[in-house]
Amino acid sequence: MERLNFRTLHADEIECRVGSVSEGKGCSLLMYKNARVDMTLLDEVVGPENWKRSHELINNNLFCTVAVRSDKGEWVTKQDVGTESYTEKEKGQASDAFKRACVNWGIGRELYTCPFVWINLRNEEWKQGYNGKLQPKTQFVVSAIEYDDQRRVSFIQIKDGKGEVRYTWGTSSEQNDAQAELDDARAEAIDRVRRTTTRKELEDVYNLYPGLKKDPVFVDACTKHAKKINTAA
């Protein structure tokens, strides 16, 4: 059976759930996928007719087996056990077992490489819980996520329900591209600075790069070269 290449999850396929809570301070967030995402990816990669699921009780624990049909027509299986949810015991166990079995196939495994996410909450973002303790009432979503070539999370951004960015970790590809452009422009500018022989030539080069006038590396190069020109004069 050829290796199945399940893609990494998109931001809108990931759910944020509250983990630990420090009353009056904030909460941690955990990243999850739901069963619909697993079904979508199985349909997308192997085809809806080439996978199936089944459940069975083993020692009073509900297990799920996800079977995928190989190119030779053989069914290859992976299995895992579920834990019950707080709302619907049997449905929660079945769904959790299915999601865990799909992780064994590689679906969403990259979520285990997410960093620890902590959100500081404001006073108005708390509500009274059923147990009398304060609980977060603000909803959070993953607004952007990127991965490296080993499928590890390299950048993640989380927003609240109002669209405000509340957590950012890593460097996005857009930021990396912008930094690369800045590095190239700086290298070119400094090279031109070092080739000037008069104060006027140096000032002309300096004014050619208005976007670098607050860049400390470029400014330092100009300052040092100005002193060199003055000394030579």
Side-chain angles (χ1 to χ4, degrees), residues 32-68:
Y32 284 86
K33 60 182 174 67
N34 62 44
R36 289 186 295 276
V37 170
D38 291 309
M39 290 185 278
T40 296
L41 281 175
L42 284 165
D43 287 350
E44 183 180 299
V45 175
V46 305
E49 73 283 359
N50 291 318
W51 71 273
K52 60 184 179 180
R53 62 188 282 191
S54 59
H55 296 269
E56 62 179 321
L57 278 173
I58 302 176
N59 295 327
N60 210 34
N61 293 311
L62 188 61
F63 282 74
C64 178
T65 299
V66 174
V68 173

PDB file of all heavy atoms in Angstrom, residues 32-68:
ATOM      1  N   TYR A  32      -7.924  21.369  18.366  1.00  0.00           N
ATOM      2  CA  TYR A  32      -8.623  20.122  18.056  1.00  0.00           C
ATOM      3  C   TYR A  32      -9.121  20.130  16.618  1.00  0.00           C
ATOM      4  O   TYR A  32      -9.275  21.174  16.001  1.00  0.00           O
ATOM      5  CB  TYR A  32      -9.839  19.953  18.969  1.00  0.00           C
ATOM      6  CG  TYR A  32      -9.529  19.525  20.378  1.00  0.00           C
ATOM      7  CD1 TYR A  32      -9.209  20.463  21.356  1.00  0.00           C
ATOM      8  CD2 TYR A  32      -9.573  18.182  20.738  1.00  0.00           C
ATOM      9  CE1 TYR A  32      -8.933  20.073  22.660  1.00  0.00           C
ATOM     10  CE2 TYR A  32      -9.302  17.783  22.038  1.00  0.00           C
ATOM     11  CZ  TYR A  32      -8.981  18.737  22.988  1.00  0.00           C
ATOM     12  OH  TYR A  32      -8.702  18.345  24.274  1.00  0.00           O
ATOM     13  N   LYS A  33      -9.402  18.941  16.121  1.00  0.00           N
ATOM     14  CA  LYS A  33     -10.141  18.777  14.880  1.00  0.00           C
ATOM     15  C   LYS A  33     -11.425  18.028  15.218  1.00  0.00           C
ATOM     16  O   LYS A  33     -11.471  17.283  16.202  1.00  0.00           O
ATOM     17  CB  LYS A  33      -9.329  17.980  13.851  1.00  0.00           C
ATOM     18  CG  LYS A  33      -8.946  16.568  14.308  1.00  0.00           C
ATOM     19  CD  LYS A  33      -8.110  15.869  13.264  1.00  0.00           C
ATOM     20  CE  LYS A  33      -7.586  14.529  13.757  1.00  0.00           C
ATOM     21  NZ  LYS A  33      -8.582  13.506  13.992  1.00  0.00           N
ATOM     22  N   ASN A  34     -12.452  18.203  14.430  1.00  0.00           N
ATOM     23  CA  ASN A  34     -13.670  17.439  14.682  1.00  0.00           C
ATOM     24  C   ASN A  34     -13.787  16.296  13.676  1.00  0.00           C
ATOM     25  O   ASN A  34     -13.034  16.210  12.701  1.00  0.00           O
ATOM     26  CB  ASN A  34     -14.917  18.335  14.677  1.00  0.00           C
ATOM     27  CG  ASN A  34     -15.155  19.015  13.341  1.00  0.00           C
ATOM     28  OD1 ASN A  34     -15.049  18.386  12.283  1.00  0.00           O
ATOM     29  ND2 ASN A  34     -15.500  20.290  13.377  1.00  0.00           N
ATOM     30  N   ALA A  35     -14.742  15.421  13.904  1.00  0.00           N
ATOM     31  CA  ALA A  35     -14.888  14.215  13.083  1.00  0.00           C
ATOM     32  C   ALA A  35     -15.224  14.539  11.632  1.00  0.00           C
ATOM     33  O   ALA A  35     -14.856  13.791  10.719  1.00  0.00           O
ATOM     34  CB  ALA A  35     -15.965  13.310  13.678  1.00  0.00           C
ATOM     35  N   ARG A  36     -15.910  15.658  11.392  1.00  0.00           N
ATOM     36  CA  ARG A  36     -16.256  16.034  10.011  1.00  0.00           C
ATOM     37  C   ARG A  36     -14.997  16.324   9.188  1.00  0.00           C
ATOM     38  O   ARG A  36     -14.943  16.033   7.998  1.00  0.00           O
ATOM     39  CB  ARG A  36     -17.192  17.244  10.011  1.00  0.00           C
ATOM     40  CG  ARG A  36     -18.596  16.940  10.513  1.00  0.00           C
ATOM     41  CD  ARG A  36     -19.515  18.134  10.355  1.00  0.00           C
ATOM     42  NE  ARG A  36     -19.096  19.255  11.187  1.00  0.00           N
ATOM     43  CZ  ARG A  36     -19.419  19.406  12.463  1.00  0.00           C
ATOM     44  NH1 ARG A  36     -20.170  18.493  13.055  1.00  0.00           N
ATOM     45  NH2 ARG A  36     -19.008  20.452  13.140  1.00  0.00           N
ATOM     46  N   VAL A  37     -13.988  16.904   9.851  1.00  0.00           N
ATOM     47  CA  VAL A  37     -12.722  17.165   9.168  1.00  0.00           C
ATOM     48  C   VAL A  37     -12.067  15.849   8.764  1.00  0.00           C
ATOM     49  O   VAL A  37     -11.551  15.701   7.647  1.00  0.00           O
ATOM     50  CB  VAL A  37     -11.779  17.987  10.076  1.00  0.00           C
ATOM     51  CG1 VAL A  37     -10.368  18.052   9.479  1.00  0.00           C
ATOM     52  CG2 VAL A  37     -12.329  19.393  10.267  1.00  0.00           C
ATOM     53  N   ASP A  38     -12.085  14.870   9.664  1.00  0.00           N
ATOM     54  CA  ASP A  38     -11.513  13.556   9.350  1.00  0.00           C
ATOM     55  C   ASP A  38     -12.219  12.924   8.158  1.00  0.00           C
ATOM     56  O   ASP A  38     -11.575  12.380   7.247  1.00  0.00           O
ATOM     57  CB  ASP A  38     -11.623  12.631  10.566  1.00  0.00           C
ATOM     58  CG  ASP A  38     -10.708  13.054  11.699  1.00  0.00           C
ATOM     59  OD1 ASP A  38      -9.512  13.255  11.443  1.00  0.00           O
ATOM     60  OD2 ASP A  38     -11.181  13.168  12.838  1.00  0.00           O
ATOM     61  N   MET A  39     -13.535  12.978   8.156  1.00  0.00           N
ATOM     62  CA  MET A  39     -14.293  12.386   7.053  1.00  0.00           C
ATOM     63  C   MET A  39     -14.001  13.094   5.735  1.00  0.00           C
ATOM     64  O   MET A  39     -13.857  12.449   4.688  1.00  0.00           O
ATOM     65  CB  MET A  39     -15.794  12.431   7.373  1.00  0.00           C
ATOM     66  CG  MET A  39     -16.201  11.472   8.487  1.00  0.00           C
ATOM     67  SD  MET A  39     -17.995  11.407   8.776  1.00  0.00           S
ATOM     68  CE  MET A  39     -18.227  12.847   9.806  1.00  0.00           C
ATOM     69  N   THR A  40     -13.887  14.416   5.799  1.00  0.00           N
ATOM     70  CA  THR A  40     -13.582  15.187   4.597  1.00  0.00           C
ATOM     71  C   THR A  40     -12.225  14.795   4.021  1.00  0.00           C
ATOM     72  O   THR A  40     -12.081  14.599   2.806  1.00  0.00           O
ATOM     73  CB  THR A  40     -13.587  16.697   4.908  1.00  0.00           C
ATOM     74  OG1 THR A  40     -14.910  17.090   5.305  1.00  0.00           O
ATOM     75  CG2 THR A  40     -13.163  17.507   3.691  1.00  0.00           C
ATOM     76  N   LEU A  41     -11.221  14.657   4.889  1.00  0.00           N
ATOM     77  CA  LEU A  41      -9.881  14.325   4.413  1.00  0.00           C
ATOM     78  C   LEU A  41      -9.803  12.887   3.905  1.00  0.00           C
ATOM     79  O   LEU A  41      -9.093  12.605   2.925  1.00  0.00           O
ATOM     80  CB  LEU A  41      -8.859  14.556   5.522  1.00  0.00           C
ATOM     81  CG  LEU A  41      -8.459  16.020   5.710  1.00  0.00           C
ATOM     82  CD1 LEU A  41      -7.550  16.184   6.904  1.00  0.00           C
ATOM     83  CD2 LEU A  41      -7.765  16.555   4.471  1.00  0.00           C
ATOM     84  N   LEU A  42     -10.517  11.984   4.539  1.00  0.00           N
ATOM     85  CA  LEU A  42     -10.554  10.603   4.041  1.00  0.00           C
ATOM     86  C   LEU A  42     -11.200  10.568   2.658  1.00  0.00           C
ATOM     87  O   LEU A  42     -10.697   9.910   1.736  1.00  0.00           O
ATOM     88  CB  LEU A  42     -11.309   9.710   5.021  1.00  0.00           C
ATOM     89  CG  LEU A  42     -10.548   9.307   6.289  1.00  0.00           C
ATOM     90  CD1 LEU A  42     -11.500   8.741   7.329  1.00  0.00           C
ATOM     91  CD2 LEU A  42      -9.445   8.296   5.960  1.00  0.00           C
ATOM     92  N   ASP A  43     -12.301  11.273   2.492  1.00  0.00           N
ATOM     93  CA  ASP A  43     -12.953  11.347   1.174  1.00  0.00           C
ATOM     94  C   ASP A  43     -12.025  11.977   0.143  1.00  0.00           C
ATOM     95  O   ASP A  43     -11.935  11.530  -1.005  1.00  0.00           O
ATOM     96  CB  ASP A  43     -14.235  12.182   1.261  1.00  0.00           C
ATOM     97  CG  ASP A  43     -15.372  11.459   1.975  1.00  0.00           C
ATOM     98  OD1 ASP A  43     -15.229  10.249   2.223  1.00  0.00           O
ATOM     99  OD2 ASP A  43     -16.379  12.118   2.280  1.00  0.00           O
ATOM    100  N   GLU A  44     -11.319  13.000   0.566  1.00  0.00           N
ATOM    101  CA  GLU A  44     -10.458  13.768  -0.327  1.00  0.00           C
ATOM    102  C   GLU A  44      -9.257  12.959  -0.817  1.00  0.00           C
ATOM    103  O   GLU A  44      -8.881  13.039  -1.983  1.00  0.00           O
ATOM    104  CB  GLU A  44      -9.978  15.015   0.436  1.00  0.00           C
ATOM    105  CG  GLU A  44      -9.127  15.985  -0.333  1.00  0.00           C
ATOM    106  CD  GLU A  44      -8.718  17.161   0.547  1.00  0.00           C
ATOM    107  OE1 GLU A  44      -9.602  17.897   1.029  1.00  0.00           O
ATOM    108  OE2 GLU A  44      -7.505  17.331   0.764  1.00  0.00           O
ATOM    109  N   VAL A  45      -8.655  12.174   0.082  1.00  0.00           N
ATOM    110  CA  VAL A  45      -7.407  11.478  -0.242  1.00  0.00           C
ATOM    111  C   VAL A  45      -7.632  10.067  -0.784  1.00  0.00           C
ATOM    112  O   VAL A  45      -7.015   9.670  -1.775  1.00  0.00           O
ATOM    113  CB  VAL A  45      -6.479  11.439   0.995  1.00  0.00           C
ATOM    114  CG1 VAL A  45      -5.223  10.611   0.712  1.00  0.00           C
ATOM    115  CG2 VAL A  45      -6.084  12.850   1.394  1.00  0.00           C
ATOM    116  N   VAL A  46      -8.508   9.299  -0.148  1.00  0.00           N
ATOM    117  CA  VAL A  46      -8.679   7.903  -0.581  1.00  0.00           C
ATOM    118  C   VAL A  46      -9.982   7.670  -1.337  1.00  0.00           C
ATOM    119  O   VAL A  46     -10.157   6.636  -1.989  1.00  0.00           O
ATOM    120  CB  VAL A  46      -8.586   6.929   0.615  1.00  0.00           C
ATOM    121  CG1 VAL A  46      -7.297   7.117   1.363  1.00  0.00           C
ATOM    122  CG2 VAL A  46      -9.778   7.095   1.559  1.00  0.00           C
ATOM    123  N   GLY A  47     -10.924   8.619  -1.233  1.00  0.00           N
ATOM    124  CA  GLY A  47     -12.217   8.451  -1.891  1.00  0.00           C
ATOM    125  C   GLY A  47     -13.235   7.875  -0.931  1.00  0.00           C
ATOM    126  O   GLY A  47     -12.913   6.998  -0.122  1.00  0.00           O
ATOM    127  N   PRO A  48     -14.482   8.337  -0.985  1.00  0.00           N
ATOM    128  CA  PRO A  48     -15.507   7.895  -0.032  1.00  0.00           C
ATOM    129  C   PRO A  48     -15.792   6.394  -0.086  1.00  0.00           C
ATOM    130  O   PRO A  48     -16.248   5.814   0.901  1.00  0.00           O
ATOM    131  CB  PRO A  48     -16.744   8.711  -0.432  1.00  0.00           C
ATOM    132  CG  PRO A  48     -16.485   9.166  -1.834  1.00  0.00           C
ATOM    133  CD  PRO A  48     -15.005   9.334  -1.927  1.00  0.00           C
ATOM    134  N   GLU A  49     -15.514   5.762  -1.221  1.00  0.00           N
ATOM    135  CA  GLU A  49     -15.793   4.333  -1.341  1.00  0.00           C
ATOM    136  C   GLU A  49     -14.621   3.467  -0.864  1.00  0.00           C
ATOM    137  O   GLU A  49     -14.736   2.243  -0.813  1.00  0.00           O
ATOM    138  CB  GLU A  49     -16.113   3.992  -2.806  1.00  0.00           C
ATOM    139  CG  GLU A  49     -14.913   4.003  -3.759  1.00  0.00           C
ATOM    140  CD  GLU A  49     -14.451   5.401  -4.162  1.00  0.00           C
ATOM    141  OE1 GLU A  49     -15.074   6.395  -3.723  1.00  0.00           O
ATOM    142  OE2 GLU A  49     -13.474   5.504  -4.926  1.00  0.00           O
ATOM    143  N   ASN A  50     -13.507   4.118  -0.475  1.00  0.00           N
ATOM    144  CA  ASN A  50     -12.302   3.356  -0.122  1.00  0.00           C
ATOM    145  C   ASN A  50     -11.940   3.427   1.349  1.00  0.00           C
ATOM    146  O   ASN A  50     -10.810   3.112   1.731  1.00  0.00           O
ATOM    147  CB  ASN A  50     -11.122   3.830  -0.981  1.00  0.00           C
ATOM    148  CG  ASN A  50     -11.277   3.439  -2.425  1.00  0.00           C
ATOM    149  OD1 ASN A  50     -11.698   2.329  -2.738  1.00  0.00           O
ATOM    150  ND2 ASN A  50     -10.957   4.363  -3.327  1.00  0.00           N
ATOM    151  N   TRP A  51     -12.877   3.848   2.194  1.00  0.00           N
ATOM    152  CA  TRP A  51     -12.637   3.800   3.627  1.00  0.00           C
ATOM    153  C   TRP A  51     -13.943   3.484   4.346  1.00  0.00           C
ATOM    154  O   TRP A  51     -15.029   3.708   3.836  1.00  0.00           O
ATOM    155  CB  TRP A  51     -12.033   5.111   4.146  1.00  0.00           C
ATOM    156  CG  TRP A  51     -12.978   6.290   4.169  1.00  0.00           C
ATOM    157  CD1 TRP A  51     -13.236   7.170   3.163  1.00  0.00           C
ATOM    158  CD2 TRP A  51     -13.788   6.715   5.283  1.00  0.00           C
ATOM    159  NE1 TRP A  51     -14.150   8.117   3.558  1.00  0.00           N
ATOM    160  CE2 TRP A  51     -14.504   7.869   4.865  1.00  0.00           C
ATOM    161  CE3 TRP A  51     -13.983   6.247   6.589  1.00  0.00           C
ATOM    162  CZ2 TRP A  51     -15.389   8.547   5.698  1.00  0.00           C
ATOM    163  CZ3 TRP A  51     -14.858   6.925   7.431  1.00  0.00           C
ATOM    164  CH2 TRP A  51     -15.555   8.059   6.976  1.00  0.00           C
ATOM    165  N   LYS A  52     -13.815   2.939   5.537  1.00  0.00           N
ATOM    166  CA  LYS A  52     -14.979   2.642   6.358  1.00  0.00           C
ATOM    167  C   LYS A  52     -14.569   2.627   7.826  1.00  0.00           C
ATOM    168  O   LYS A  52     -13.386   2.507   8.160  1.00  0.00           O
ATOM    169  CB  LYS A  52     -15.589   1.293   5.966  1.00  0.00           C
ATOM    170  CG  LYS A  52     -14.644   0.104   6.115  1.00  0.00           C
ATOM    171  CD  LYS A  52     -15.299  -1.185   5.622  1.00  0.00           C
ATOM    172  CE  LYS A  52     -14.344  -2.375   5.736  1.00  0.00           C
ATOM    173  NZ  LYS A  52     -14.962  -3.639   5.261  1.00  0.00           N
ATOM    174  N   ARG A  53     -15.546   2.769   8.688  1.00  0.00           N
ATOM    175  CA  ARG A  53     -15.296   2.767  10.131  1.00  0.00           C
ATOM    176  C   ARG A  53     -16.202   1.759  10.804  1.00  0.00           C
ATOM    177  O   ARG A  53     -17.308   1.471  10.328  1.00  0.00           O
ATOM    178  CB  ARG A  53     -15.524   4.159  10.723  1.00  0.00           C
ATOM    179  CG  ARG A  53     -16.952   4.648  10.559  1.00  0.00           C
ATOM    180  CD  ARG A  53     -17.132   6.097  10.965  1.00  0.00           C
ATOM    181  NE  ARG A  53     -17.202   6.276  12.409  1.00  0.00           N
ATOM    182  CZ  ARG A  53     -17.561   7.420  12.993  1.00  0.00           C
ATOM    183  NH1 ARG A  53     -17.869   8.482  12.248  1.00  0.00           N
ATOM    184  NH2 ARG A  53     -17.612   7.526  14.292  1.00  0.00           N
ATOM    185  N   SER A  54     -15.737   1.236  11.915  1.00  0.00           N
ATOM    186  CA  SER A  54     -16.552   0.327  12.721  1.00  0.00           C
ATOM    187  C   SER A  54     -16.192   0.529  14.185  1.00  0.00           C
ATOM    188  O   SER A  54     -15.100   1.018  14.507  1.00  0.00           O
ATOM    189  CB  SER A  54     -16.300  -1.137  12.313  1.00  0.00           C
ATOM    190  OG  SER A  54     -14.937  -1.482  12.473  1.00  0.00           O
ATOM    191  N   HIS A  55     -17.115   0.154  15.066  1.00  0.00           N
ATOM    192  CA  HIS A  55     -16.894   0.330  16.509  1.00  0.00           C
ATOM    193  C   HIS A  55     -17.136  -0.989  17.230  1.00  0.00           C
ATOM    194  O   HIS A  55     -17.983  -1.787  16.830  1.00  0.00           O
ATOM    195  CB  HIS A  55     -17.835   1.406  17.066  1.00  0.00           C
ATOM    196  CG  HIS A  55     -17.585   2.777  16.496  1.00  0.00           C
ATOM    197  ND1 HIS A  55     -16.730   3.671  17.076  1.00  0.00           N
ATOM    198  CD2 HIS A  55     -18.074   3.393  15.383  1.00  0.00           C
ATOM    199  CE1 HIS A  55     -16.700   4.790  16.356  1.00  0.00           C
ATOM    200  NE2 HIS A  55     -17.518   4.642  15.327  1.00  0.00           N
ATOM    201  N   GLU A  56     -16.406  -1.185  18.307  1.00  0.00           N
ATOM    202  CA  GLU A  56     -16.601  -2.378  19.122  1.00  0.00           C
ATOM    203  C   GLU A  56     -16.200  -2.101  20.571  1.00  0.00           C
ATOM    204  O   GLU A  56     -15.324  -1.264  20.831  1.00  0.00           O
ATOM    205  CB  GLU A  56     -15.783  -3.548  18.576  1.00  0.00           C
ATOM    206  CG  GLU A  56     -14.284  -3.324  18.579  1.00  0.00           C
ATOM    207  CD  GLU A  56     -13.518  -4.519  18.043  1.00  0.00           C
ATOM    208  OE1 GLU A  56     -13.921  -5.657  18.355  1.00  0.00           O
ATOM    209  OE2 GLU A  56     -12.515  -4.317  17.327  1.00  0.00           O
ATOM    210  N   LEU A  57     -16.872  -2.768  21.486  1.00  0.00           N
ATOM    211  CA  LEU A  57     -16.547  -2.651  22.902  1.00  0.00           C
ATOM    212  C   LEU A  57     -15.480  -3.672  23.272  1.00  0.00           C
ATOM    213  O   LEU A  57     -15.627  -4.869  23.009  1.00  0.00           O
ATOM    214  CB  LEU A  57     -17.791  -2.876  23.763  1.00  0.00           C
ATOM    215  CG  LEU A  57     -18.733  -1.688  23.948  1.00  0.00           C
ATOM    216  CD1 LEU A  57     -19.992  -2.133  24.688  1.00  0.00           C
ATOM    217  CD2 LEU A  57     -18.034  -0.556  24.714  1.00  0.00           C
ATOM    218  N   ILE A  58     -14.409  -3.199  23.891  1.00  0.00           N
ATOM    219  CA  ILE A  58     -13.354  -4.067  24.391  1.00  0.00           C
ATOM    220  C   ILE A  58     -13.107  -3.687  25.844  1.00  0.00           C
ATOM    221  O   ILE A  58     -12.714  -2.548  26.132  1.00  0.00           O
ATOM    222  CB  ILE A  58     -12.053  -3.929  23.576  1.00  0.00           C
ATOM    223  CG1 ILE A  58     -12.312  -4.241  22.094  1.00  0.00           C
ATOM    224  CG2 ILE A  58     -10.951  -4.827  24.138  1.00  0.00           C
ATOM    225  CD1 ILE A  58     -11.096  -4.030  21.205  1.00  0.00           C
ATOM    226  N   ASN A  59     -13.367  -4.625  26.765  1.00  0.00           N
ATOM    227  CA  ASN A  59     -13.232  -4.348  28.197  1.00  0.00           C
ATOM    228  C   ASN A  59     -14.011  -3.099  28.604  1.00  0.00           C
ATOM    229  O   ASN A  59     -13.540  -2.242  29.344  1.00  0.00           O
ATOM    230  CB  ASN A  59     -11.758  -4.189  28.578  1.00  0.00           C
ATOM    231  CG  ASN A  59     -10.984  -5.477  28.393  1.00  0.00           C
ATOM    232  OD1 ASN A  59     -11.513  -6.581  28.574  1.00  0.00           O
ATOM    233  ND2 ASN A  59      -9.711  -5.354  28.033  1.00  0.00           N
ATOM    234  N   ASN A  60     -15.213  -2.985  28.038  1.00  0.00           N
ATOM    235  CA  ASN A  60     -16.122  -1.886  28.342  1.00  0.00           C
ATOM    236  C   ASN A  60     -15.650  -0.531  27.817  1.00  0.00           C
ATOM    237  O   ASN A  60     -16.145   0.511  28.222  1.00  0.00           O
ATOM    238  CB  ASN A  60     -16.395  -1.788  29.848  1.00  0.00           C
ATOM    239  CG  ASN A  60     -17.775  -1.231  30.128  1.00  0.00           C
ATOM    240  OD1 ASN A  60     -18.724  -1.476  29.387  1.00  0.00           O
ATOM    241  ND2 ASN A  60     -17.895  -0.451  31.197  1.00  0.00           N
ATOM    242  N   ASN A  61     -14.670  -0.540  26.927  1.00  0.00           N
ATOM    243  CA  ASN A  61     -14.202   0.683  26.279  1.00  0.00           C
ATOM    244  C   ASN A  61     -14.552   0.625  24.797  1.00  0.00           C
ATOM    245  O   ASN A  61     -14.424  -0.424  24.166  1.00  0.00           O
ATOM    246  CB  ASN A  61     -12.685   0.836  26.433  1.00  0.00           C
ATOM    247  CG  ASN A  61     -12.277   1.073  27.875  1.00  0.00           C
ATOM    248  OD1 ASN A  61     -12.842   1.919  28.564  1.00  0.00           O
ATOM    249  ND2 ASN A  61     -11.298   0.319  28.339  1.00  0.00           N
ATOM    250  N   LEU A  62     -15.014   1.768  24.270  1.00  0.00           N
ATOM    251  CA  LEU A  62     -15.436   1.812  22.879  1.00  0.00           C
ATOM    252  C   LEU A  62     -14.250   2.127  21.966  1.00  0.00           C
ATOM    253  O   LEU A  62     -13.623   3.184  22.082  1.00  0.00           O
ATOM    254  CB  LEU A  62     -16.526   2.866  22.687  1.00  0.00           C
ATOM    255  CG  LEU A  62     -17.207   2.893  21.309  1.00  0.00           C
ATOM    256  CD1 LEU A  62     -17.901   1.567  21.021  1.00  0.00           C
ATOM    257  CD2 LEU A  62     -18.199   4.055  21.231  1.00  0.00           C
ATOM    258  N   PHE A  63     -13.955   1.202  21.071  1.00  0.00           N
ATOM    259  CA  PHE A  63     -12.875   1.367  20.106  1.00  0.00           C
ATOM    260  C   PHE A  63     -13.450   1.648  18.724  1.00  0.00           C
ATOM    261  O   PHE A  63     -14.549   1.195  18.403  1.00  0.00           O
ATOM    262  CB  PHE A  63     -12.010   0.105  20.028  1.00  0.00           C
ATOM    263  CG  PHE A  63     -11.039  -0.050  21.171  1.00  0.00           C
ATOM    264  CD1 PHE A  63     -11.486  -0.417  22.438  1.00  0.00           C
ATOM    265  CD2 PHE A  63      -9.685   0.164  20.974  1.00  0.00           C
ATOM    266  CE1 PHE A  63     -10.593  -0.568  23.488  1.00  0.00           C
ATOM    267  CE2 PHE A  63      -8.784   0.017  22.020  1.00  0.00           C
ATOM    268  CZ  PHE A  63      -9.228  -0.348  23.272  1.00  0.00           C
ATOM    269  N   CYS A  64     -12.666   2.369  17.927  1.00  0.00           N
ATOM    270  CA  CYS A  64     -13.040   2.606  16.539  1.00  0.00           C
ATOM    271  C   CYS A  64     -11.932   2.081  15.638  1.00  0.00           C
ATOM    272  O   CYS A  64     -10.744   2.285  15.903  1.00  0.00           O
ATOM    273  CB  CYS A  64     -13.246   4.095  16.263  1.00  0.00           C
ATOM    274  SG  CYS A  64     -13.659   4.461  14.527  1.00  0.00           S
ATOM    275  N   THR A  65     -12.328   1.420  14.575  1.00  0.00           N
ATOM    276  CA  THR A  65     -11.389   0.944  13.562  1.00  0.00           C
ATOM    277  C   THR A  65     -11.688   1.663  12.257  1.00  0.00           C
ATOM    278  O   THR A  65     -12.819   1.661  11.783  1.00  0.00           O
ATOM    279  CB  THR A  65     -11.518  -0.577  13.352  1.00  0.00           C
ATOM    280  OG1 THR A  65     -11.214  -1.248  14.571  1.00  0.00           O
ATOM    281  CG2 THR A  65     -10.567  -1.049  12.259  1.00  0.00           C
ATOM    282  N   VAL A  66     -10.660   2.311  11.721  1.00  0.00           N
ATOM    283  CA  VAL A  66     -10.783   2.967  10.417  1.00  0.00           C
ATOM    284  C   VAL A  66     -10.007   2.126   9.409  1.00  0.00           C
ATOM    285  O   VAL A  66      -8.798   1.917   9.563  1.00  0.00           O
ATOM    286  CB  VAL A  66     -10.236   4.408  10.449  1.00  0.00           C
ATOM    287  CG1 VAL A  66     -10.244   5.009   9.039  1.00  0.00           C
ATOM    288  CG2 VAL A  66     -11.066   5.271  11.388  1.00  0.00           C
ATOM    289  N   ALA A  67     -10.716   1.625   8.420  1.00  0.00           N
ATOM    290  CA  ALA A  67     -10.115   0.767   7.405  1.00  0.00           C
ATOM    291  C   ALA A  67     -10.027   1.516   6.081  1.00  0.00           C
ATOM    292  O   ALA A  67     -10.969   2.192   5.677  1.00  0.00           O
ATOM    293  CB  ALA A  67     -10.943  -0.507   7.232  1.00  0.00           C
ATOM    294  N   VAL A  68      -8.872   1.379   5.423  1.00  0.00           N
ATOM    295  CA  VAL A  68      -8.645   1.995   4.119  1.00  0.00           C
ATOM    296  C   VAL A  68      -8.287   0.900   3.126  1.00  0.00           C
ATOM    297  O   VAL A  68      -7.462   0.034   3.410  1.00  0.00           O
ATOM    298  CB  VAL A  68      -7.516   3.041   4.196  1.00  0.00           C
ATOM    299  CG1 VAL A  68      -7.182   3.558   2.796  1.00  0.00           C
ATOM    300  CG2 VAL A  68      -7.914   4.200   5.102  1.00  0.00           C
TER     301      VAL A  68
END
